[in-house]
Amino acid sequence: MFEHIGWIVEAKIRQGKKAEFEAVMSEIVAKTREEQGTLNYQYYLSEEGDVLVYERFADVASAHIHVSNWDTFAERWVAAAIPTRMVHLGELPEDLRARHSALAPLWLKPFGGFARSV
């Protein structure tokens, strides 16, 4: 039904850590831009410091590559923001889901709808 997989991560920037978060986010975005199979890697931010990251991948192998790259930034990212929620989107295999087990993600499987490419 759906061609790609992905996830959403929500977090809250720690008090006084916005500059540190922006720095590590910029580095991760630059590294992720090099990943051919990463289709979306987008950050959204509220005035109150709530963060939403939308990530979408061409396939499972691309998602594994991204998680491995992200692991090098994880300590700095978590030092600047508290992860509050994660949602897996699509038919993610157990080995990929296990890589996020510390966040206890909600798993949402395809149900209906469509996606357009422009």
Side-chain angles (χ1 to χ4, degrees), residues 65-84:
I65 289 168
H66 174 71
V67 173
S68 293
N69 286 333
W70 189 85
D71 284 346
T72 63
F73 300 97
E75 187 175 318
R76 288 175 52 217
W77 198 101
V78 172
I82 302 164
T84 57

Side-chain angles (χ1 to χ4, degrees), residues 15-26:
Q15 187 73 19
K17 296 289 186 175
K18 187 176 181 193
E20 290 90 338
F21 186 80
E22 286 185 63
V24 70
M25 179 202 65
S26 294

Side-chain angles (χ1 to χ4, degrees), residues 51-63:
V51 176
L52 184 140
V53 188
Y54 172 61
E55 306 179 42
R56 187 172 67 104
F57 306 94
D59 51 35
V60 172
S62 299

Side-chain angles (χ1 to χ4, degrees), residues 43-111:
Y43 279 74
Y44 298 85
L45 178 66
S46 76
E47 294 292 325
E48 295 77 28
D50 300 290
V51 176
L52 184 140
V53 188
Y54 172 61
E55 306 179 42
R56 187 172 67 104
F57 306 94
D59 51 35
V60 172
S62 299
H64 274 296
I65 289 168
H66 174 71
V67 173
S68 293
N69 286 333
W70 189 85
D71 284 346
T72 63
F73 300 97
E75 187 175 318
R76 288 175 52 217
W77 198 101
V78 172
I82 302 164
T84 57
R85 183 174 189 226
M86 184 171 201
V87 179
H88 281 166
L89 305 169
E91 297 291 347
L92 281 73
E94 182 57 36
D95 65 331
L96 184 55
R97 293 185 67 233
R99 295 185 81 175
H100 297 133
S101 62
L103 295 174
L106 172 65
W107 186 18
L108 299 177
K109 298 177 186 178
F111 186 62

